[in-house]
Amino acid sequence: MAAVAKRAKVAERTIYRHFKTRAELFAAAGEWIEDNVFSYIPFTSPDELPDIFRKLCKRFDRHPHLARAIAMTRAGRRVRAGFRRHLIDQHRRAMAPLVRHLPAKDVRQAEALASYLNNVLAWNAMREDFGMSSAEIADAIDWALTTLLKDVRQRDAAAARSGKTDNKTGRSPRKRATAVSEQA
């Protein structure tokens, strides 16, 4: 708190007047960062993700040091924890129509990959480890997401044709039809 006060050029008690604890300060900082730097871009289809990530790259470029801090520090992970949970849930809902016939393991992998690719961690790794510009990162993520979604659609269609287990009911389409007939 003393360092924050010094950097803000105010008395430490001024900081405590607004934020009783460090946790309150981090929560407020997280809200500001989420609202002003990484604000959530709603989506309903995973096909929207490449364009959304392209927009996020531009935001990350406006605050690259902050984006890196959010991606790589313990405090940053705390700041983005709630935001990430919300984003992961949004990815699950958006992916649901594409994975109706896939086994749970495949669904979890597809959701995890889509979620990870649409992430400040991916931006940071490609920027630092490969020296890529945000435009190059956005192109690479676009390619990866497009490839992933095409493969998920193909796998789901193949699973539907083969009668593999439906992810939601745990029954194959044939067993579901039989169960419905028996109930009637």
Side-chain angles (χ1 to χ4, degrees):
M1 297 296 252
V4 170
K6 185 176 179 179
R7 181 85 189 253
K9 298 179 181 163
V10 298
E12 191 172 342
R13 73 174 171 252
T14 302
I15 302 295
Y16 280 106
R17 195 173 304 138
H18 297 281
F19 308 102
K20 304 295 182 219
T21 65
R22 229 177 113 164
E24 284 183 22
L25 177 62
F26 273 121
E31 285 179 30
W32 183 89
I33 291 166
E34 187 176 321
D35 292 346
N36 295 288
V37 180
F38 305 112
S39 56
Y40 175 71
I41 302 170
F43 62 95
T44 56
S45 166
D47 295 314
E48 298 172 66
L49 292 176
D51 287 334
I52 288 172
F53 190 78
R54 197 167 296 280
K55 290 175 187 172
L56 289 173
C57 283
K58 290 176 183 173
R59 292 179 184 180
F60 299 157
D61 276 349
R62 285 194 296 264
H63 302 278
H65 298 296
L66 184 56
R68 184 184 187 291
I70 291 298
M72 303 308 295
T73 66
R74 185 177 305 154
R77 284 191 299 274
R78 279 195 307 250
V79 165
R80 68 185 169 87
F83 180 75
R84 288 296 304 151
R85 279 190 293 276
H86 175 71
L87 195 56
I88 288 167
D89 288 342
Q90 186 65 28
H91 280 91
R92 281 190 178 122
R93 284 190 296 276
M95 293 288 287
L98 305 183
V99 297
R100 288 183 298 238
H101 303 95
L102 292 179
K105 175 185 162 216
D106 292 355
V107 172
R108 190 173 70 245
Q109 288 174 350
E111 291 169 350
L113 281 168
S115 184
Y116 183 77
L117 290 169
N118 183 28
N119 189 322
V120 69
L121 293 170
W123 173 85
N124 188 67
M126 291 179 165
R127 185 172 179 265
E128 289 193 2
D129 297 345
F130 296 95
M132 295 170 77
S133 70
S134 280
E136 292 171 313
I137 295 168
D139 289 344
I141 295 295
D142 187 327
W143 178 29
L145 283 168
T146 301
T147 302
L148 171 67
L149 295 175
K150 180 180 177 185
D151 185 67
V152 166
R153 285 182 170 100
Q154 289 172 346
R155 287 176 183 226
D156 190 66
R161 285 189 305 273
S162 72
K164 287 187 179 177
T165 303
D166 181 294
N167 189 46
K168 292 184 180 171
T169 64
R171 298 179 182 171
S172 73
R174 287 185 202 108
K175 287 182 183 174
R176 249 193 339 270
T178 304
V180 170
S181 300
E182 289 172 358
Q183 290 175 353

